[in-house]
Amino acid sequence: MSHPESRRIAAALEQRAGSQANADQLADAVVMLWREINDTLTPIIGARGLAALHGRSLYLTSREYAWLNDAHGKSMLTEIDFDELRRNFTTQPMLESRAAAGVLLHTFHDLLASLVGAVLTERLLHAIWNNPFDGHAAQDVSE
Amino acid sequence: MTPRVTINRLATGVPGLDSVLGGGLPEFSFNLIAGPPGCGKTTLAHQMMFALASPERPALYFTVLGEPPLKMLRYQQQFTFFDSDAVNTSVRFIDLTDDAVGGDLEKVLTRIVEEVRAVGPGLVFVDSFRSVVMASLDEGVSINTLQHFVQQLGVLMTSWQATTFLIGEYFNENDANPVFTVADGLIWLRQSVERNSMVRKLEIMKMRGQPTLPGLHTFRITEAGVCVFARVDPSSAPAARTGDRLTDRLSLGVPGLDEMLGGGLPSGYSLLVAGPSGSGKSLLAATFLAEGARRGETGVIAAFEQNPNQSRDRTLADLIDSGTVGLVGSRAPDLSIDEILLTLVAEVRRLKATRVVVDSLSGFELALAPTFRGDFRESLSRLVTALAAEGVTLLMTSELEDRYTDLRFSPYGTAFMTDAVIVQRYIEVESRLRRVMAVVKVRGSAHSDSLREFTITESGIQLGVALPDQEGLLGGRPTRKQLMAEESSNGH
């Protein structure tokens, strides 16, 4: 993952989980990030709209990480199932989970950008990748 | 005593719309944008929102069950007015789908009020309103509840000092809809299809507190968004310049022709050049513009030939390339007279042009969308009046089939609308087609009444002599006058 977007995402995850996180802490961080995305995007595109994008991202990511349970593909959800999401990320070794979480977020980012454009995506998600309220120092993601 | 309230008018940022609205959109008004699917309601709303919204006057855009917001953002982004940087600062999108799904209008209203309280917007958009209506009617909500909802919304938004737009899908303006009564403004969009042409039209059916331009105004949607071509009302056009009309004359650039006109074409006049195919009308029009350029004047040509690049006169092409003459073409399909007229007037103003050519009226008629062709005469009259108001001198060409049995000058009765008429015809003399032209009319001025032969050479139109020894020229087959024939045979 050498893409600058991937580094930002990894940094955002690490910011929330801490660098020494265990599997539970990582799963919490993943859920926390998705809740932030949920809070940011649901008002704009609706809970169903977001659940659909999240489900599609899970599906795409599960091709690389087959253990990711694509629960959303099975039924039309009206919102993201955070409990299921958390369960998913507690079942795997840390490195594997961390990588999958990054790919999932990156997939989601690209999917949204393909629909509404990179500029608007950046506009909407900027605050999440660069969370100023977090205790940890923001990571410098520029080259 | 309280002075009368002043209603601020907001500039909508939609070209032409402000003048149709009668000077802009009244601040804090409660408006409905209605029309069938695909007619441009959402686009119009977005365009106004991005133009009007600022950090001090933020906008809230509520999406309700209509177009999914994700798609709306995707497609609206294609327009140049869409400013991603404004999103979440001066423009906020709020999805109310989940609140509207149950058809509980109270809940929708509560959500709108909550958000309005939180943001304090100067502009509120609810898209689409029909979906609110449909969702609620499905749930057995009566029209009264609906009217109550709309009234509540109207009152609330006005007291929150928010200019509000309900975007609704309505197929029929005769729908007994309570919204129509409550709304201060009613902007109706339509699209009419005739054969293969599609024309979009906009009408302000109601706008409290100000006089709007009545009638249907055509509009076009391009990548820059909606552009309205406000109907040009000839009666509202300022009176044509009358000052030195007759003393201030323009040369047409054909030696001898100015004299025939009584000293040139009076400035501000409209001249119709009528003649059969190939008689040299376009060449005369080009010469008119070239003569202007020679004298330091600029011009505009509205060209409606089939193949503009092939048939255009070299000199004229150079003038267009150099920017001395502005070109208004007919690339766009389904033109309306107002679109052409406004484009022409804009070009005249840009170049401060004094000479305008429309070549030709027949091509112009073909370029119009079929739905406008029925009103062609009336449209032409508006064109002539509006250009006269600009103070330009106008030359129009008109294809006129040679009919040797009757004397006609134009197929549209244009001769009566224009101030001057030159007619060109073919005649047969000694088994050759020869050209003649005559000045038929110059309003308020003496002019020549002779039929003069002319030829077209490398250097342009060459006016020859009158043909005093021929008669019956207009019949197409002149005969040598008896007397002249005898004289000439005696001479040899």
Side-chain angles (χ1 to χ4, degrees):
Chain A
M1 294 212 296
S2 63
H3 194 279
E5 207 51 58
S6 305
R7 283 205 296 277
R8 285 172 80 192
I9 290 167
L13 254 179
E14 190 166 314
Q15 210 179 26
R16 285 156 185 82
S19 49
Q20 306 301 317
N22 60 29
D24 274 353
Q25 285 166 325
L26 180 79
D28 286 340
V30 169
V31 168
M32 191 192 295
L33 252 179
W34 276 102
R35 282 203 187 275
E36 287 172 39
I37 292 173
N38 187 64
D39 293 347
T40 307
L41 293 184
T42 299
I44 301 173
I45 64 173
R48 284 163 198 269
L50 179 61
L53 287 182
H54 174 76
R56 167 87 170 138
S57 309
L58 267 178
Y59 168 76
L60 291 172
T61 311
S62 69
R63 293 199 289 207
E64 197 176 335
Y65 299 94
W67 51 268
L68 263 180
N69 187 357
D70 170 25
H72 295 95
K74 289 167 192 145
S75 60
M76 278 296 284
L77 288 185
T78 54
E79 55 186 28
I80 297 176
D81 184 344
F82 292 104
D83 295 340
E84 177 69 17
L85 187 66
R86 192 178 187 287
R87 249 194 312 281
N88 255 314
F89 280 92
T90 49
T91 58
Q92 300 299 311
M94 260 304 290
L95 271 179
E96 176 86 351
S97 283
R98 195 184 276 272
V103 172
L104 177 63
L105 285 162
H106 195 186
T107 306
F108 174 78
H109 175 275
D110 287 357
L111 183 57
L112 186 62
S114 77
L115 291 170
V116 302
V119 179
L120 188 56
T121 301
E122 174 62 23
R123 181 90 212 151
L124 297 174
L125 298 180
H126 178 83
I128 295 172
W129 307 144
N130 305 283
N131 187 346
F133 302 113
D134 201 274
H136 301 273
Q139 305 291 308
D140 183 8
V141 294
S142 57
E143 295 289 326
Chain B
M1 214 169 79
T2 332
R4 248 191 290 190
V5 64
T6 315
I7 297 180
N8 279 333
R9 295 197 164 79
L10 308 174
T12 57
V14 179
L17 183 58
D18 292 344
S19 55
V20 174
L21 286 169
L25 196 75
E27 198 173 23
F28 313 144
S29 57
F30 187 71
N31 305 289
L32 180 68
I33 303 175
C39 67
K41 299 180 296 293
T42 300
T43 303
L44 181 67
H46 274 77
Q47 193 173 352
M48 291 197 282
M49 176 171 70
F50 280 103
L52 289 168
S54 61
E56 299 74 40
R57 186 169 58 202
L60 282 184
Y61 199 104
F62 294 100
T63 48
V64 189
L65 282 182
E67 193 178 353
L70 208 52
K71 287 205 168 175
M72 190 182 72
L73 292 176
R74 176 173 169 78
Y75 291 113
Q76 289 302 318
Q77 222 175 102
Q78 306 306 309
F79 293 108
T80 50
F81 58 73
F82 192 98
D83 176 12
S84 293
D85 289 343
V87 176
N88 281 358
T89 53
S90 44
V91 166
R92 275 168 208 281
F93 292 94
I94 296 167
D95 184 62
L96 294 185
T97 308
D98 293 338
D99 302 279
V101 132
D104 184 350
L105 294 178
E106 278 300 320
K107 197 172 167 195
V108 174
L109 195 61
T110 312
R111 273 300 310 277
I112 292 179
V113 171
E114 265 172 27
E115 298 290 347
V116 167
R117 266 175 192 280
V119 177
L123 302 155
V124 170
F125 296 81
V126 180
D127 184 5
S128 89
F129 189 74
R130 184 178 171 86
S131 43
V132 176
V133 177
M134 297 311 277
S136 52
L137 289 180
D138 284 352
E139 302 294 320
V141 177
S142 76
I143 287 284
N144 284 336
T145 325
L146 186 66
Q147 181 153 19
H148 177 73
F149 168 80
V150 174
Q151 247 155 1
Q152 283 280 96
L153 191 65
V155 168
L156 277 168
M157 290 308 126
T158 310
S159 58
W160 277 91
Q161 293 179 294
T163 310
T164 306
F165 299 86
L166 300 184
I167 293 123
E169 251 171 39
Y170 295 93
F171 301 94
N172 181 359
E173 59 259 52
N174 300 322
D175 272 355
N177 205 299
V179 191
F180 298 171
T181 327
V182 179
D184 299 319
L186 203 46
I187 302 176
W188 212 283
L189 308 184
R190 292 186 173 83
Q191 43 193 4
S192 68
V193 176
E194 191 175 328
R195 298 192 187 167
N196 279 331
S197 86
M198 199 264 279
V199 175
R200 300 177 190 273
K201 292 176 187 171
L202 170 149
E203 184 182 8
I204 310 296
M205 297 188 56
K206 171 178 177 182
M207 190 54 69
R208 282 199 179 116
Q210 62 193 55
T212 56
L213 282 187
L216 294 167
H217 308 274
T218 50
F219 69 98
R220 195 173 276 284
I221 300 180
T222 65
E223 59 172 18
V226 173
C227 180
V228 182
F229 306 104
R231 222 175 99 89
V232 181
D233 183 4
S235 63
S236 70
R241 248 190 357 199
T242 48
D244 320 324
R245 268 177 90 144
L246 290 173
T247 50
D248 188 9
R249 291 184 183 237
L250 274 63
S251 170
L252 292 192
V254 176
L257 189 54
D258 293 338
E259 287 70 29
M260 288 177 73
L261 286 161
L265 182 63
S267 167
Y269 264 35
S270 52
L271 166 67
L272 177 73
V273 179
S277 181
S279 68
K281 301 180 296 296
S282 296
L283 184 59
L284 180 57
T287 312
F288 170 67
L289 290 173
E291 177 65 14
R294 205 177 63 79
R295 293 169 183 259
E297 299 171 39
T298 46
V300 174
I301 180 166
F304 300 99
E305 313 100 297
Q306 296 294 320
N307 277 313
N309 293 328
Q310 280 174 19
S311 57
R312 192 162 298 140
D313 179 75
R314 192 62 244 153
T315 321
L316 180 57
D318 290 343
L319 288 174
I320 292 170
D321 289 344
S322 71
T324 314
V325 169
L327 173 68
V328 175
S330 61
R331 292 261 175 79
D334 304 334
L335 288 170
S336 73
I337 183 87
D338 296 301
E339 180 170 359
I340 295 173
L341 187 44
L342 288 169
T343 320
L344 254 176
V345 167
E347 194 67 359
V348 164
R349 289 183 182 164
R350 184 178 73 82
L351 290 168
K352 297 189 174 60
T354 50
R355 298 181 181 222
V356 173
V357 164
V358 176
D359 186 24
S360 67
L361 291 181
S362 329
F364 178 20
E365 190 186 10
L366 279 179
L368 286 179
T371 169
F372 297 115
R373 290 186 198 152
D375 300 328
F376 189 63
R377 248 175 73 109
E378 188 246 340
S379 302
L380 259 186
S381 149
R382 295 206 339 251
L383 179 98
V384 171
T385 313
L387 286 173
E390 292 296 315
V392 299
T393 308
L394 172 67
L395 187 155
M396 301 186 289
T397 67
S398 171
E399 183 96 349
L400 182 64
E401 196 183 325
D402 261 351
R403 291 207 184 142
Y404 296 106
T405 48
D406 60 349
L407 188 56
R408 298 193 316 159
F409 302 119
S410 84
Y412 312 110
T414 345
F416 131 84
M417 289 177 210
T418 56
D419 300 310
V421 177
I422 290 178
V423 82
Q424 300 179 333
R425 299 190 71 134
Y426 287 114
I427 55 167
E428 179 200 329
V429 178
E430 291 163 347
S431 298
R432 284 176 188 279
L433 269 185
R434 291 161 74 172
R435 298 178 171 97
V436 292
M437 84 167 101
V439 175
V440 175
K441 140 175 155 182
V442 182
R443 191 169 282 161
S445 165
H447 60 87
S448 156
D449 58 0
S450 62
L451 267 174
R452 296 273 292 272
E453 187 183 6
F454 70 99
T455 51
I456 294 174
T457 67
E458 281 295 302
S459 49
I461 296 175
Q462 307 295 325
L463 214 52
V465 291
L467 301 168
D469 58 339
Q470 305 282 342
E471 62 183 7
L473 292 171
L474 294 175
R477 274 175 303 196
T479 49
R480 218 165 251 253
K481 282 184 191 163
Q482 205 52 43
L483 178 66
M484 302 295 282
E486 281 166 13
E487 272 175 10
S488 89
S489 65
N490 289 344
H492 287 282

